[in-house]
Amino acid sequence: MTTIDVVTPVDTSVPTGLGAPVARLEGRDKVTGAARYSYEHTPEGVLYGWIVQSSVTTGTITGSNRDEVLAMPGVRDVITHEQAPHLEDAEDGELLVLQSADVAYRGQPVALVVADTFDTAREAASALAFDYDEGRGDVVLSTDHPSLYAPETVNAGFETDTSQGDVDAAMADSAVTIDETYETAALFNSPMEPHATVATWADGELDVLDSNQGTSGVATTLATLFSLDPSAVRVRAEHVGGGFGSKGSARPVVVLASIGAMLTGRPVKVAYTRQMMFAIAGYRTPTISRVRLAADSEGHLSALSHEAYSHSSTLQEFTEQTAEPTRHLWAAPSRLMTHRLARLDVPTPRWMRAPGEAPGIYAVESAMDELASKLDVDPVELRVRNEPEVDPHTGQPFSSRHLVDCLRRGAELFGWAGRDPRQGVRRVGRWLVGTGVAAATYPASVMPAGARVTALPGGRFEVGVNATDIGQGARTVMAQIAASELGVPLDLVDLHIADSRLPTAGVAGGSSGTASWGWAVTKASRQVTELLAQGQPVPPEGLEVVVDIAEDIAAMSDHSRFAYGAQFVEARVDLDSGEVVVPRMVGVFAAGRIMNARTARSQFVGGMTMGLSMALHEHGMLDPTQGDYGNHDFATYHVASNADVGSIEVEWLDEQDPHLAPMGGKGIGEIGNVGAAAAVANAVAHATGIRVRDLPIQPDKLLAGLPTRY
């Protein structure tokens, strides 16, 4: 059972500074059911939509029984590519739904059935059949796939390829080298709340309740798709039951619901089933990483190379930035990082918690562990010896870098001292026992954001910021920031979030949300405070200040900004079954100023658990014949649960960084997920002497190499 420190709730009616473990403001509403998610809203006259997906990998629709289904009682419309309105290009091919008879992958939406009731829509959708001129699918990623190419950039605009020095020469001349390939499986975002939308079209305006991670971006996309004035589109996402990146941009569900509302003239609800989530919600691409390390006899790196391979769909280019984090992690004079992409007949991958960092750091930190073993150098000490003085990629100074401190403190908490470096030697009853470590890093970034703060008569304040709370506690932290800057108790701050009618802001993603939104709230709150201090009267309608931080971001100094962490894991492997269990994990992080100790701890624990799940459980299993992932529900796609971790201990350093947003935080939503899988893999290798280089690590990959129990 997972154990975390219990934090006593504080009284939110008194001033509470940043860092205090304030309970989630909406916590009671969540547990009592008062908080209403998108699909739980039922406007008058609402209809229900059900998505019909393609049953072939590729091909062309040649016919259907649409008229027969449309005649069923209670069915209001059956919308295919022949009835759907024209959509403009919004730079995402996945969103151009029902625009063509062509099928790009199995599971692609090919129709929307709209009916009076949920059950009628589902029944009618199951009765809708299409005829296809079926093609042959190409769905398997490999390092020699003929379609591989170098995209112009990779996710988030990072460089595709970079090089310094001569890696090949260093590999030839060095005392010790590592040249191994590491693979991660396709991984699927599985938030508790699936993607869901309620769309209303009236008087030329589109009003959408949608489960997403950023209403401003979704509103802009819908305006583009439907050729609407941006002022005619409103998107709200007051409560969101998780996202992990899959809800970071508009998805087909919101487009289909909007089409249904426009064509029927009635509000339309559409939600993905759990099975649909595995095709049209986005997922982490499988990755293949060739990592080469060259070092002297003391373990000082002379070369570091990371060549990454991933896939995308034929509809849309998306390249996971798998080798990007390796550029900034360890010092080495010769360096090579590349990305190659294959466009296959598969759904388009998207963001998943720590895109690039999670699979990339798994690969390079596994290789570092193999190098430590080959050198007979302690894995913590090896990393300390390769600590750079400046960013190895950019040459810029770090705003702050306390990775070594995380490693040292984590080793102390974990009890690393005295660890026997030999592999496969420690037994406790039927178990082989091992320990592993891995470093973690994640960019500390900010995005343009706006905020509105209004001083009201009587001493209350109203704050409007387009932050989206997907479970990370954004609502609570934004209120804390405002109250702290305004110098008032939390209960005097009325907060409005997740509405595209609020000042424009970016997504809850990239661990940038709190820094971005919080900067805008800080700026607006300070201006209001200054006006009040100058004796500015508060009119009946309130004293309002609206700001954005675009110019503030442009004026930031040239520093390399990252959060850091160190992950320590104990793994036990059953000699009879090959089962792997993780009794304990320790994570120590340097992430700037922590805004809320309670929600921060939850984020770190959640990220570490997700990394454990990546290491041991999650595995999208592709059927190359059907062109589909065969396991697409929780019965067949396993995620870590409480029983999978005995104890998770989290600590963070009291880090002060003067080169960040004014609150001083670096973002924590993703750093907990980085390095955890590598630490698990390293612990399993230490326990057994068996190095598994393709995740997940499951019994069939260990059994043949395990010694007999007796």
Side-chain angles (χ1 to χ4, degrees), residues 202-517:
D203 301 322
E205 294 190 352
L206 182 62
D207 191 309
V208 171
L209 296 162
D210 182 54
S211 182
N212 64 61
Q213 294 175 223
T215 64
S216 292
V218 174
T220 298
T221 297
L222 290 173
T224 299
L225 287 166
F226 293 103
S227 300
L228 298 172
D229 188 281
S231 64
V233 180
R234 184 183 188 185
V235 178
R236 288 170 286 165
E238 184 178 1
H239 295 289
V240 178
F244 308 115
S246 71
K247 299 176 183 176
S249 60
R251 295 291 82 213
V253 63
V254 70
V255 184
L256 290 165
S258 299
I259 289 174
M262 289 177 171
L263 292 185
T264 64
R266 300 261 296 273
V268 172
K269 284 188 180 189
V270 181
Y272 289 169
T273 64
R274 183 59 59 185
Q275 290 74 23
M276 291 177 187
M277 293 286 292
F278 287 76
I280 48 178
Y283 60 102
R284 195 193 304 282
T285 172
T287 69
I288 304 172
S289 292
R290 181 191 180 193
V291 179
R292 291 182 288 164
L293 305 177
D296 63 21
S297 59
E298 298 297 317
H300 299 101
L301 291 174
S302 58
L304 171 56
S305 173
H306 188 166
E307 299 164 77
Y309 302 82
S310 62
H311 77 212
S312 192
S313 71
T314 59
L315 292 177
Q316 181 72 15
E317 180 183 275
F318 178 87
T319 311
E320 185 112 339
Q321 69 275 28
T322 310
E324 163 61 19
T326 306
R327 292 171 173 148
H328 309 275
L329 191 54
W330 304 121
S334 292
R335 317 166 63 77
L336 174 68
M337 286 76 184
T338 66
H339 297 84
R340 295 295 179 266
L341 184 69
R343 301 286 291 274
L344 305 178
D345 301 316
V346 296
T348 308
R350 296 295 292 175
W351 304 308
M352 185 173 183
R353 200 175 197 171
E357 280 74 17
I361 294 300
Y362 156 69
V364 72
E365 284 297 276
S366 295
M368 286 290 282
D369 198 68
E370 296 204 58
L371 180 63
S373 180
K374 205 168 186 179
L375 287 164
D376 196 22
V377 172
D378 180 80
V380 171
E381 181 59 29
L382 176 67
R383 288 164 172 80
V384 173
R385 292 178 187 180
N386 289 285
E387 172 72 359
E389 294 183 1
V390 296
D391 189 313
H393 176 57
T394 66
Q396 293 177 336
F398 294 108
S399 64
S400 62
R401 179 173 166 122
H402 295 286
L403 177 53
V404 170
D405 296 323
C406 291
L407 288 163
R408 297 293 194 207
R409 178 57 179 158
E412 180 183 356
L413 283 175
F414 189 77
W416 188 263
R419 172 184 185 265
D420 188 336
R422 294 176 299 163
Q423 297 183 344
V425 297
R426 184 181 171 197
R427 293 196 189 190
V428 177
R430 62 192 286 181
W431 304 93
L432 288 173
V433 182
T435 53
V437 63
T441 183
Y442 195 85
S445 58
V446 289
M447 295 183 291
R452 181 178 66 230
V453 174
T454 306
L456 300 172
R460 299 194 66 81
F461 295 85
E462 189 174 87
V463 176
V465 56
N466 201 5
T468 308
D469 197 326
I470 59 174
Q472 81 278 37
R475 178 184 278 100
T476 305
V477 171
M478 289 306 108
Q480 283 183 269
I481 291 171
S484 178
E485 291 294 335
L486 294 166
V488 299
L490 274 176
D491 60 0
L492 291 183
V493 174
D494 298 318
L495 190 69
H496 303 279
I497 65 169
D499 186 335
S500 63
R501 295 282 170 88
L502 293 169
T504 301
V507 301
S511 293
S512 63
T514 297
S516 306
W517 312 318

